[in-house]
Amino acid sequence: MKIATIAVVMLATTGLAACGGGRAVQDRTAPIRALLSADALMLVSFDTNDDLAVSREEAEAGLAREWTRADANSDGTLQPIEFTNWSNLVLGGSQIGPYRLDFDRNVDNSITREEFDAELRARFTQYDADENGSLSRTEFVRLVGQARPPTARREMPQREMPGGRNPG
Ligand SMILES: [Ca+2]
Ligand SMILES: [Ca+2]
Ligand SMILES: [Ca+2]
């Protein structure tokens, strides 16, 4: 009976999240499923054959299209303003990741094609939970909260205490 109750609350939570985040009647112990990152929006848009899954081939073609879109002056790098414009269009703004520095790994204020591709390929791989080389819709939805008893979070970093042993 308790398990059934939790399942119902989970569904209700998912529905609320989809409607724009009313938090009125949430069980505080219920897990929440949500899109954690705006790259999901972009990856879903790569499904060009409309089978509701994103294959690696579709993803590669999509990356090439997005690079062309992002590199507005076609100089082979993304400057911060280019990234911001692209992020606003494709990722829905900069409220949630991926952020510019997720791409610009050497922090030189410029994103190369290699950095762009490497970051997005890594994200494709991270989403592909069943490792079948294709992203289904369910692979984009993550559990962001876990039912947790109040006393569970008690972990303290284990520290070595030098000289702490008392020889009997
Ligand atoms: Ca597809
Ligand atoms: Ca550029
Ligand atoms: Ca998959």
Side-chain angles (χ1 to χ4, degrees):
M1 176 179 160
K2 199 159 189 190
I3 289 172
T5 310
I6 288 171
V8 169
V9 171
M10 255 179 58
L11 285 173
T13 306
T14 309
L16 282 173
C19 292
R23 288 180 66 95
V25 285
Q26 283 183 19
D27 179 341
R28 290 190 56 180
T29 62
I32 299 167
R33 292 181 186 276
L35 295 175
L36 292 186
S37 182
D39 51 10
L41 296 172
M42 180 190 63
L43 289 167
V44 164
S45 80
F46 290 170
D47 173 27
T48 43
N49 70 352
D50 202 25
D51 68 348
L52 301 179
V54 182
S55 67
R56 264 199 192 280
E57 292 71 27
E58 286 175 319
E60 287 298 323
L63 290 191
R65 286 197 302 274
E66 291 309 329
W67 175 263
T68 303
R69 194 201 311 274
D71 184 14
N73 66 358
S74 305
D75 71 345
T77 64
L78 301 188
Q79 300 312 306
I81 185 66
E82 288 176 312
F83 181 83
T84 300
N85 291 339
W86 175 76
S87 173
N88 285 339
L89 279 172
V90 177
L91 305 178
S94 54
Q95 301 292 312
I96 55 177
Y99 305 101
R100 192 167 59 81
L101 288 176
D102 290 330
F103 293 87
D104 184 14
R105 292 291 173 165
N106 66 353
V107 202
D108 68 349
N109 266 344
S110 159
I111 298 167
T112 63
R113 176 72 194 265
E114 288 69 31
E115 286 176 319
F116 188 82
D117 286 355
E119 180 62 25
L120 293 178
R121 283 177 186 145
R123 283 165 182 267
F124 182 100
T125 302
Q126 282 167 13
Y127 278 117
D128 187 14
D130 63 3
E131 299 180 350
N132 71 345
S134 171
L135 304 183
S136 64
R137 292 286 168 97
T138 54
E139 285 174 314
F140 290 114
V141 179
R142 301 290 175 81
L143 200 63
V144 295
Q146 290 280 8
R148 190 157 59 196
T151 52
R153 201 86 178 131
R154 261 268 175 91
E155 292 164 49
M156 304 259 276
Q158 295 283 339
R159 289 183 62 179
E160 294 278 307
M161 300 272 282
R165 288 174 60 187
N166 279 330

